[in-house]
Amino acid sequence: MGLMDKYVEMLDGLKFEDMYNNDFLLTWEKSEDELKAVFTVAEALRELRKNNISPKIFDSGLGISLFRDNSTRTRFSFASACNLLGLEVQDLDEGKSQIAHGETVRETANMISFMADIIGIRDDMYIGKGNTYMREVSSAVREGHEEGCLEQTPTLVNLQCDIDHPTQVMADALHLINEFGGIENLKGKKVAMTWAYSPSYGKPLSVPQGVIGLLTRFGMDVVLAHPEGYEVMEEVEEIAKKNAKESGGSFTKTNSMAEAFKDADVVYPKSWAPFSAMEKRTDLYAKGDTEGINQLEKELLAQNANYKDWECTEELMKTTKDGKAIYLHCLPADITGVSCEEGEVEASVFDRYRKSLYKEASFKPYVIAAMIFLSKIKNPQETLKNLEEKGKERQTK
Amino acid sequence: MGLMDKYVEMLDGLKFEDMYNNDFLLTWEKSEDELKAVFTVAEALRELRKNNISPKIFDSGLGISLFRDNSTRTRFSFASACNLLGLEVQDLDEGKSQIAHGETVRETANMISFMADIIGIRDDMYIGKGNTYMREVSSAVREGHEEGCLEQTPTLVNLQCDIDHPTQVMADALHLINEFGGIENLKGKKVAMTWAYSPSYGKPLSVPQGVIGLLTRFGMDVVLAHPEGYEVMEEVEEIAKKNAKESGGSFTKTNSMAEAFKDADVVYPKSWAPFSAMEKRTDLYAKGDTEGINQLEKELLAQNANYKDWECTEELMKTTKDGKAIYLHCLPADITGVSCEEGEVEASVFDRYRKSLYKEASFKPYVIAAMIFLSKIKNPQETLKNLEEKGKERQTK
Amino acid sequence: MGLMDKYVEMLDGLKFEDMYNNDFLLTWEKSEDELKAVFTVAEALRELRKNNISPKIFDSGLGISLFRDNSTRTRFSFASACNLLGLEVQDLDEGKSQIAHGETVRETANMISFMADIIGIRDDMYIGKGNTYMREVSSAVREGHEEGCLEQTPTLVNLQCDIDHPTQVMADALHLINEFGGIENLKGKKVAMTWAYSPSYGKPLSVPQGVIGLLTRFGMDVVLAHPEGYEVMEEVEEIAKKNAKESGGSFTKTNSMAEAFKDADVVYPKSWAPFSAMEKRTDLYAKGDTEGINQLEKELLAQNANYKDWECTEELMKTTKDGKAIYLHCLPADITGVSCEEGEVEASVFDRYRKSLYKEASFKPYVIAAMIFLSKIKNPQETLKNLEEKGKERQTK
């Protein structure tokens, strides 16, 4: 029996042909089958690589990356995924480029895409901007292809925007699938997506929003917990509610971390900024109001400081299901006494879950590779089988 | 009949063996046959890629890039060309390197070239420097190869210097060849290379110089138009005159934009700095005279402002051949009311030609790839045929 | 007879299986056989490349580079080596990444290594830090692999630390082996590793330390010369003594440049900072004591200025063996009247040896490639033979 048989069989039962030649921007724009296809292909690519079989599908081609915020993990995950499939990463560093000089998005998007197969964008800083920008880029390059300027259509992967962080939360979900032994076992499990205290401010909302938008798809009981004033985008909450209804799970909210942790199977304690404050900041940036921004920062840090007890402690962990909930984090975490004086998580908790957290992170490059694969390969099952059959060594042994 | 037959036949009729193992620094150093070989190979490589056939000729090797000025388009075009042929781009970022520490050009050129097959340089800021620097690098690495320090000779591609911008204007010309349906149809066509107003200052002269130096090769009637005081390098004008004489075209000058546009088949309205001012600036930079530089900038902006009526308007466009001249620009353009208050071109004109401008730009990566190909491949016809025959997919479908 | 036969035969006589899956951090941690294996594989890879045979052993995979100091040569050497073997370089630029935000070394090391086969680090600024940091990274990724977070173990290459500069001095040694016609001919040759005056301060000690730690392995008579106060690390001197004893060579010290040069077969005149001053600087940096650092810099420059006569002059060169010692330098050198007013070496001496110095540098990419090759390939002899037999062209001709 072939390595790929299991994955091919799973894919055969799924409907995902719309992913071909399409972007991956928000998980809730994808059907359940499409999400499963990503998980399956991610596992298949990992299996091939584990067995020293190269899953290269490109002989040449560029993967364009555009990071409008600092990034280590996502940058390396994207680079790893591109490299695995045969694309060379070319980073659009806006500092080095002429974008600052007033170019329109449409023009730049086309000028960098003559040989681009994929474009990965991280743009999470300003509310109402990041996802919109990605759609502008996407429609610009689609138009460029239709008009004959681009020989191919580069597809987009959202590497984090103001609304969602699909590569992160898909990796988180795939980790859970592995931990619970199958996607069907997520059903009925309680997830606590909770705010936690951090001495820094302005952390993006895309992770909590991504989590409630995704995990409600699989029949999980998702609880969103945060202090008053730390609301996330209303429209994402609506999506979470709708998802829960459809999947037979639930989506509830609370202002108590303890309530959220109680009997939880999964906890995801993480700091974020209040949505309304991020909206305000976006306006202040637009106006170039530096004083206003500094003032806002002070206020937010003071506000945060009221909730230092929102920490993932050993005590709280004990209240979770059998005291053994899976602890998730997108990393880096603010660890009390390690990376800061008071933070999101007690050092001993973090340490106990370190290995599991690294494993969680290890799915991200494969998830990104799967998103690229599914947007570029018309018949993934056939291609996976061919790759195995060809059996090109990834590394000479 | 094979895909490559047409191109192979065209190459069979051309004499271009001197391109092998040679640099591409100025178009007027190349014979007409050599220019035609570049156009032909560029089209052939595009044809292969369009048909999903990989034109990779390198299994490993580096393409070194050195950008002494900001760049998006040229950076991505060079990266695309290198990637298409199998070279990995390694950028020599002088900020990160020890070049600032007083290394000689010869030493650095050799130290970065142990596995370099191609070196692409953009150095357009200072009059009398850029092209000279490229020649220094070229002779350094040639000597390095002869002395046994380098196993191969990296060849150079001029990605824009103080004198010429060969990859840009060759792409412009290839666009015209496609628009007019053959290089023979350029003969007798009128080209208006004209200055246009921009609210910024100090734009390089390499584009207008490159255009008059190249398009006069093909029997075109090239008119260079600019306000008094915006003269380009005299030696390039001399070259344009000589070219026109030899090709049966013409090269004339005027201080009237309207005169240039009248009945033109092609217009290229674009801002540039006066040559004499750029010479002065180069001296001021050499002296580190910041105050002098600021003073010069003020003077130049004031001088520019006298010529705000040098704008490519709908009205002017109507005076061109059938009101339908091809509008060229190297991008980004200063578009009135879009990227600036008053600029080089009216928004409606630019918008009407947007698709055509993107198409023009799309030739650049292939032109660069062709320059690399012709400097590295001894028998291009045979190689093109072999690539087609081998038929390695660029991307698994 | 095959190209690889000679190298395979040499490798057959050596014991180096411990290099497989291991780091290369300090030359004195490697056996003489292991060092010889590096030399042999470096020459073999050079031979393959010279004959246009690709030595690619990776179909995909990343080579992570981390440079905590400016670098041109080493950066390009590492990139060249990775590219030659099929790895794509991904630079961990701490400016762009979240490392500055308090991440632990362990976490970052794992997060960037999901698809990393090799990690190259340059960290030479602070005494007691660089090598220690490399070991932390190494044990972190080993643990990551054991814990199942990384599918493979990335191995480390020390691209310069506070103690040793193995890729440089191995390249220096390979140059000597070529110049003297065999490693056995190094025996009994006198090497003068001497301090030389430079108008800059704080140059790393890793080169002199690396030289005395390595060249004493081959029965050479190594003399370390410097003014009083410019001592190198004591523990490395101890290693040099021990090495000399075992190899039948010698290690001596002097405060006279003339004495060191007298009858030397090889001279390596180069500036470095006093070890004790570097220790002090490391403490000042840790305290953030900017004033103290500036004060120290002044003191060190003043101290240097007392020894301007420590220059490699024509006169001194005449006193070497037959007046024809091989002159080594890691480059860039401070050349009197060229790169500075008064420096390490007279211009005419440097110029005479320029070609030889470039040749010396040309070994570095191959040495790095050999280190990678030996840490990744279980049976190097078989792989080298297979590569030759397969005969994949590096570049289509």
Side-chain angles (χ1 to χ4, degrees):
Chain A
M1 191 182 145
L3 277 177
M4 289 298 100
D5 292 0
K6 170 168 90 171
Y7 307 102
V8 167
E9 197 182 317
M10 286 171 81
L11 290 171
D12 281 343
L14 301 172
K15 190 174 146 46
F16 56 89
E17 57 269 31
D18 284 354
M19 300 191 85
Y20 180 65
N21 214 18
N22 256 318
D23 307 322
F24 203 111
L25 297 184
L26 297 170
T27 63
W28 46 87
E29 292 175 343
K30 302 291 171 190
S31 73
E32 208 189 311
D33 270 12
E34 289 171 346
L35 300 179
K36 282 181 180 165
V38 172
F39 295 139
T40 307
V41 171
E43 299 265 33
L45 295 175
R46 189 166 196 153
E47 186 76 15
L48 286 174
R49 193 175 183 282
K50 214 182 257 185
N51 286 278
N52 199 34
I53 297 172
S54 171
K56 206 177 250 193
I57 52 170
F58 295 96
D59 191 53
S60 64
L62 298 182
I64 311 290
S65 63
L66 172 49
F67 288 89
R68 293 184 147 179
D69 196 1
N70 282 339
S71 170
T72 306
R73 289 139 219 304
T74 305
R75 183 181 290 279
F76 274 77
S77 289
F78 182 70
S80 298
C82 284
N83 175 266
L84 185 70
L85 300 178
L87 296 175
E88 191 179 340
V89 172
Q90 184 68 14
D91 190 46
L92 176 59
D93 182 338
E94 291 177 289
K96 280 184 195 166
S97 80
Q98 298 185 323
I99 291 178
H101 303 185
E103 283 183 353
T104 60
V105 170
R106 176 158 66 175
E107 193 172 306
T108 304
N110 275 281
M111 293 305 114
I112 63 175
S113 294
F114 296 124
M115 295 192 189
D117 290 297
I118 202 86
I119 302 176
I121 302 180
R122 178 173 180 184
D123 187 348
D124 58 350
M125 298 282 277
Y126 309 119
I127 291 296
K129 309 277 185 191
N131 201 269
T132 305
Y133 174 75
M134 291 177 197
R135 284 174 206 272
E136 276 170 25
V137 170
S138 176
S139 73
V141 294
R142 262 167 213 286
E143 201 183 340
H145 176 61
E146 280 155 24
E147 289 176 349
C149 143
L150 305 180
E151 308 291 354
Q152 75 298 326
T153 307
T155 45
L156 264 72
V157 174
N158 174 357
L159 298 176
Q160 187 168 4
C161 70
D162 50 327
I163 307 178
D164 196 3
H165 192 346
T167 64
Q168 176 65 46
V169 296
M170 287 292 284
D172 297 338
L174 189 48
H175 179 57
L176 293 181
I177 291 167
N178 274 273
E179 293 293 309
F180 288 123
I183 195 165
E184 63 283 4
N185 296 332
L186 300 189
K187 207 166 181 69
K189 296 285 191 301
K190 178 178 177 184
V191 179
M193 176 72 241
T194 102
W195 191 86
Y197 170 73
S198 158
S200 79
Y201 97 109
K203 299 212 176 186
L205 293 116
S206 50
V207 169
Q209 291 174 170
V211 166
I212 65 169
L214 179 64
L215 296 187
T216 46
R217 303 289 289 275
F218 310 118
M220 302 185 91
D221 295 315
V222 179
V223 183
L224 177 65
H226 54 74
E228 263 187 77
Y230 286 85
E231 279 70 25
V232 302
M233 289 174 83
E234 235 185 85
E235 63 196 83
V236 183
E237 291 191 4
E238 290 309 314
I239 284 158
K241 278 181 216 165
K242 192 175 145 281
N243 289 343
K245 209 169 177 181
E246 288 174 14
S247 76
S250 65
F251 173 65
T252 52
K253 286 173 54 175
T254 171
N255 292 137
S256 155
M257 198 176 188
E259 194 183 312
F261 265 59
K262 181 94 183 81
D263 292 324
D265 298 279
V266 179
V267 297
Y268 205 139
K270 197 208 161 301
S271 181
W272 67 79
F275 173 62
S276 58
M278 288 301 93
E279 267 190 317
K280 207 191 275 183
R281 189 175 72 160
T282 303
D283 291 345
L284 292 168
Y285 268 110
K287 288 180 203 151
D289 181 351
T290 318
E291 206 177 311
I293 293 165
N294 292 340
Q295 183 55 33
L296 179 67
E297 177 171 355
K298 262 186 220 158
E299 284 168 28
L300 287 171
L301 287 175
Q303 188 182 341
N304 275 8
N306 295 329
Y307 306 105
K308 291 197 178 176
D309 54 333
W310 284 68
E311 186 192 3
C312 177
T313 59
E314 290 286 6
E315 209 176 332
L316 266 176
M317 286 304 288
K318 276 184 200 142
T319 69
T320 65
K321 182 67 149 296
D322 303 327
K324 287 183 174 166
I326 297 174
Y327 165 84
L328 298 180
H329 200 286
C330 54
L331 302 180
D334 289 316
I335 310 162
T336 301
V338 177
S339 46
C340 56
E341 260 181 75
E342 296 167 289
E344 298 170 320
V345 58
E346 253 182 39
S348 65
V349 173
F350 184 86
D351 214 54
R352 193 144 34 83
Y353 286 94
R354 193 188 49 74
K355 183 178 149 183
S356 171
L357 288 162
Y358 289 9
K359 186 87 189 176
E360 174 189 357
S362 76
F363 289 105
K364 207 197 269 183
Y366 294 103
V367 160
I368 298 175
M371 290 173 178
I372 300 174
F373 196 93
L374 284 161
S375 76
K376 292 295 167 184
I377 296 292
K378 195 145 193 178
N379 192 332
Q381 290 95 311
E382 195 185 304
T383 300
L384 289 173
K385 280 188 286 190
N386 287 346
L387 286 167
E388 181 182 357
E389 212 164 291
K390 209 170 109 200
K392 177 98 174 63
E393 282 186 321
R394 185 191 77 79
Q395 189 214 312
T396 306
K397 286 292 181 189
Chain B
M1 193 181 143
L3 277 177
M4 290 297 101
D5 291 1
K6 171 167 91 172
Y7 307 101
V8 166
E9 198 182 317
M10 284 170 82
L11 290 170
D12 281 344
L14 300 172
K15 191 173 145 50
F16 56 88
E17 57 268 31
D18 284 355
M19 299 190 87
Y20 181 64
N21 215 17
N22 255 319
D23 307 322
F24 203 111
L25 297 184
L26 298 170
T27 63
W28 46 87
E29 291 175 344
K30 301 292 171 190
S31 73
E32 208 188 312
D33 271 12
E34 289 171 345
L35 300 179
K36 284 179 179 167
V38 173
F39 295 138
T40 308
V41 171
E43 299 265 33
L45 295 175
R46 188 166 196 153
E47 187 76 14
L48 286 174
R49 192 174 184 283
K50 213 181 259 188
N51 286 278
N52 200 32
I53 297 172
S54 171
K56 207 176 248 194
I57 53 170
F58 295 95
D59 191 54
S60 65
L62 298 182
I64 311 290
S65 63
L66 172 49
F67 287 89
R68 293 185 147 178
D69 196 1
N70 282 341
S71 171
T72 306
R73 288 140 219 303
T74 306
R75 184 181 289 279
F76 273 77
S77 289
F78 182 70
S80 298
C82 284
N83 174 266
L84 185 69
L85 299 178
L87 295 175
E88 191 179 340
V89 171
Q90 183 68 14
D91 191 46
L92 176 59
D93 181 339
E94 291 175 292
K96 282 185 195 167
S97 79
Q98 297 186 323
I99 291 178
H101 304 186
E103 283 183 353
T104 61
V105 170
R106 176 156 66 174
E107 193 171 306
T108 304
N110 275 280
M111 293 304 115
I112 63 176
S113 295
F114 295 125
M115 295 192 190
D117 289 298
I118 202 85
I119 302 176
I121 302 179
R122 177 173 180 184
D123 187 349
D124 58 349
M125 298 282 277
Y126 309 119
I127 292 295
K129 309 277 183 189
N131 199 269
T132 305
Y133 173 74
M134 292 177 196
R135 285 173 206 275
E136 277 171 24
V137 169
S138 175
S139 72
V141 292
R142 263 166 213 287
E143 202 183 339
H145 176 61
E146 280 155 25
E147 289 177 349
C149 142
L150 306 180
E151 306 291 355
Q152 76 297 328
T153 307
T155 46
L156 264 73
V157 173
N158 174 357
L159 298 176
Q160 187 169 4
C161 72
D162 50 328
I163 306 178
D164 196 3
H165 192 345
T167 63
Q168 176 66 46
V169 295
M170 287 292 283
D172 297 338
L174 188 49
H175 179 56
L176 293 181
I177 290 167
N178 274 273
E179 293 293 309
F180 289 123
I183 195 165
E184 63 284 3
N185 296 332
L186 301 189
K187 206 166 180 70
K189 295 286 191 302
K190 180 179 174 183
V191 180
M193 176 73 240
T194 100
W195 191 86
Y197 171 73
S198 158
S200 79
Y201 97 108
K203 299 212 175 186
L205 293 116
S206 50
V207 169
Q209 291 172 172
V211 166
I212 65 169
L214 179 64
L215 296 187
T216 47
R217 301 290 289 275
F218 310 119
M220 301 186 93
D221 295 316
V222 178
V223 182
L224 177 67
H226 55 74
E228 264 186 76
Y230 286 85
E231 279 70 25
V232 303
M233 289 174 83
E234 236 186 83
E235 62 196 84
V236 183
E237 290 192 4
E238 290 309 314
I239 283 157
K241 279 181 214 165
K242 193 173 144 281
N243 288 344
K245 210 171 177 179
E246 287 174 14
S247 75
S250 65
F251 173 65
T252 52
K253 287 173 52 175
T254 171
N255 291 136
S256 156
M257 198 175 188
E259 196 184 311
F261 265 59
K262 180 96 186 76
D263 293 324
D265 299 279
V266 179
V267 297
Y268 206 139
K270 197 209 161 300
S271 181
W272 67 80
F275 173 62
S276 58
M278 288 300 93
E279 267 190 316
K280 208 191 273 184
R281 188 176 71 161
T282 304
D283 291 346
L284 292 168
Y285 269 111
K287 285 180 203 151
D289 182 352
T290 316
E291 207 178 310
I293 291 165
N294 292 340
Q295 183 55 33
L296 179 67
E297 178 170 354
K298 263 187 220 158
E299 284 168 29
L300 287 171
L301 287 175
Q303 188 182 339
N304 275 8
N306 294 329
Y307 305 105
K308 291 195 178 177
D309 54 334
W310 285 69
E311 186 191 3
C312 177
T313 59
E314 290 287 6
E315 210 178 331
L316 266 176
M317 285 304 289
K318 277 184 199 142
T319 70
T320 65
K321 183 67 148 296
D322 303 327
K324 289 184 175 167
I326 297 174
Y327 165 83
L328 299 179
H329 200 287
C330 53
L331 303 180
D334 288 317
I335 309 163
T336 301
V338 177
S339 47
C340 56
E341 261 181 74
E342 297 167 291
E344 299 169 319
V345 59
E346 254 182 38
S348 66
V349 174
F350 185 86
D351 214 54
R352 193 145 33 85
Y353 285 95
R354 193 189 47 75
K355 182 178 147 181
S356 171
L357 288 162
Y358 289 8
K359 186 87 188 176
E360 176 190 354
S362 76
F363 289 105
K364 209 197 268 185
Y366 294 102
V367 160
I368 297 174
M371 290 173 178
I372 299 174
F373 196 93
L374 285 161
S375 76
K376 291 295 167 185
I377 296 292
K378 193 145 196 178
N379 192 332
Q381 290 96 311
E382 195 184 305
T383 301
L384 289 173
K385 280 188 286 188
N386 288 346
L387 286 167
E388 182 182 357
E389 212 164 292
K390 208 170 110 199
K392 177 98 173 65
E393 283 186 321
R394 184 191 76 79
Q395 188 214 314
T396 306
K397 287 293 179 187
Chain C
M1 190 184 147
L3 277 176
M4 289 298 101
D5 291 1
K6 171 168 89 171
Y7 307 101
V8 168
E9 197 181 316
M10 285 169 83
L11 290 170
D12 281 342
L14 300 171
K15 189 174 147 49
F16 56 88
E17 58 269 30
D18 284 354
M19 300 191 85
Y20 181 65
N21 214 16
N22 255 318
D23 307 322
F24 202 110
L25 296 185
L26 298 170
T27 63
W28 45 88
E29 290 176 344
K30 302 292 170 189
S31 73
E32 208 188 312
D33 270 12
E34 290 171 344
L35 300 179
K36 283 179 179 167
V38 173
F39 295 138
T40 308
V41 171
E43 299 264 32
L45 295 175
R46 188 165 197 153
E47 187 77 13
L48 286 174
R49 193 174 184 282
K50 213 182 258 186
N51 286 277
N52 199 33
I53 297 170
S54 171
K56 207 177 250 194
I57 51 171
F58 295 96
D59 191 53
S60 65
L62 298 181
I64 311 290
S65 63
L66 172 49
F67 287 89
R68 294 185 145 177
D69 196 2
N70 282 339
S71 170
T72 305
R73 289 136 220 304
T74 305
R75 184 181 289 278
F76 273 77
S77 288
F78 182 69
S80 298
C82 284
N83 174 266
L84 184 70
L85 300 178
L87 295 175
E88 191 179 341
V89 171
Q90 183 68 14
D91 191 46
L92 176 60
D93 182 338
E94 290 175 291
K96 282 184 196 167
S97 78
Q98 298 185 322
I99 292 180
H101 304 185
E103 284 184 351
T104 60
V105 170
R106 177 156 65 174
E107 193 171 306
T108 304
N110 275 281
M111 293 304 115
I112 62 175
S113 294
F114 295 125
M115 295 192 189
D117 290 298
I118 204 85
I119 301 175
I121 301 179
R122 178 173 180 184
D123 187 349
D124 58 350
M125 298 283 277
Y126 310 118
I127 292 296
K129 308 277 184 190
N131 200 270
T132 305
Y133 173 75
M134 292 178 196
R135 285 173 205 273
E136 276 170 26
V137 170
S138 175
S139 72
V141 293
R142 263 166 213 288
E143 201 182 342
H145 175 62
E146 279 154 25
E147 290 176 348
C149 142
L150 306 180
E151 307 290 354
Q152 74 298 327
T153 309
T155 46
L156 265 74
V157 174
N158 173 356
L159 298 176
Q160 188 168 4
C161 71
D162 51 327
I163 306 178
D164 197 3
H165 193 345
T167 64
Q168 177 66 45
V169 296
M170 286 293 283
D172 298 338
L174 188 48
H175 179 57
L176 292 181
I177 290 168
N178 274 273
E179 293 294 309
F180 289 123
I183 195 166
E184 63 283 4
N185 296 332
L186 300 188
K187 206 166 179 71
K189 296 285 192 299
K190 179 180 176 182
V191 180
M193 176 72 240
T194 101
W195 191 86
Y197 170 73
S198 158
S200 79
Y201 98 109
K203 300 212 176 187
L205 293 116
S206 51
V207 169
Q209 290 173 172
V211 166
I212 66 169
L214 179 64
L215 296 187
T216 47
R217 302 289 289 275
F218 310 119
M220 302 186 91
D221 294 316
V222 178
V223 183
L224 176 67
H226 55 73
E228 264 186 76
Y230 286 84
E231 279 70 24
V232 302
M233 289 173 83
E234 235 186 85
E235 63 197 84
V236 182
E237 290 192 5
E238 290 309 314
I239 283 157
K241 277 182 215 164
K242 193 174 142 281
N243 288 345
K245 209 170 178 179
E246 287 174 16
S247 76
S250 66
F251 173 66
T252 53
K253 287 172 53 174
T254 170
N255 292 135
S256 156
M257 197 175 188
E259 196 183 310
F261 266 59
K262 180 95 186 79
D263 293 324
D265 297 280
V266 179
V267 297
Y268 206 139
K270 199 208 159 302
S271 182
W272 67 79
F275 173 62
S276 58
M278 289 301 93
E279 269 190 315
K280 209 191 275 182
R281 189 175 70 158
T282 303
D283 291 345
L284 292 168
Y285 268 110
K287 287 181 205 152
D289 181 352
T290 316
E291 206 177 312
I293 291 165
N294 291 339
Q295 183 55 34
L296 179 66
E297 177 171 355
K298 261 186 220 158
E299 284 168 28
L300 286 172
L301 286 175
Q303 187 182 339
N304 274 10
N306 295 329
Y307 305 105
K308 291 195 178 177
D309 55 332
W310 284 70
E311 185 192 4
C312 177
T313 59
E314 290 286 6
E315 209 176 332
L316 266 176
M317 285 305 289
K318 277 185 199 140
T319 68
T320 64
K321 182 66 148 296
D322 303 328
K324 289 182 173 168
I326 296 175
Y327 165 84
L328 298 179
H329 200 287
C330 54
L331 302 179
D334 288 317
I335 309 163
T336 301
V338 176
S339 47
C340 56
E341 261 181 74
E342 297 167 291
E344 297 170 321
V345 58
E346 255 182 38
S348 65
V349 173
F350 185 85
D351 214 55
R352 194 144 36 85
Y353 285 94
R354 193 187 48 73
K355 183 178 146 182
S356 171
L357 288 162
Y358 289 8
K359 186 86 189 177
E360 175 189 357
S362 76
F363 289 105
K364 207 197 268 183
Y366 294 102
V367 161
I368 297 175
M371 289 172 179
I372 299 174
F373 196 94
L374 285 160
S375 76
K376 292 294 166 184
I377 296 292
K378 195 145 193 178
N379 191 332
Q381 290 95 312
E382 195 184 306
T383 300
L384 289 172
K385 280 188 285 189
N386 288 346
L387 287 167
E388 182 182 358
E389 212 165 292
K390 208 170 109 199
K392 177 98 175 65
E393 282 186 322
R394 184 190 76 80
Q395 189 213 314
T396 306
K397 287 294 180 186

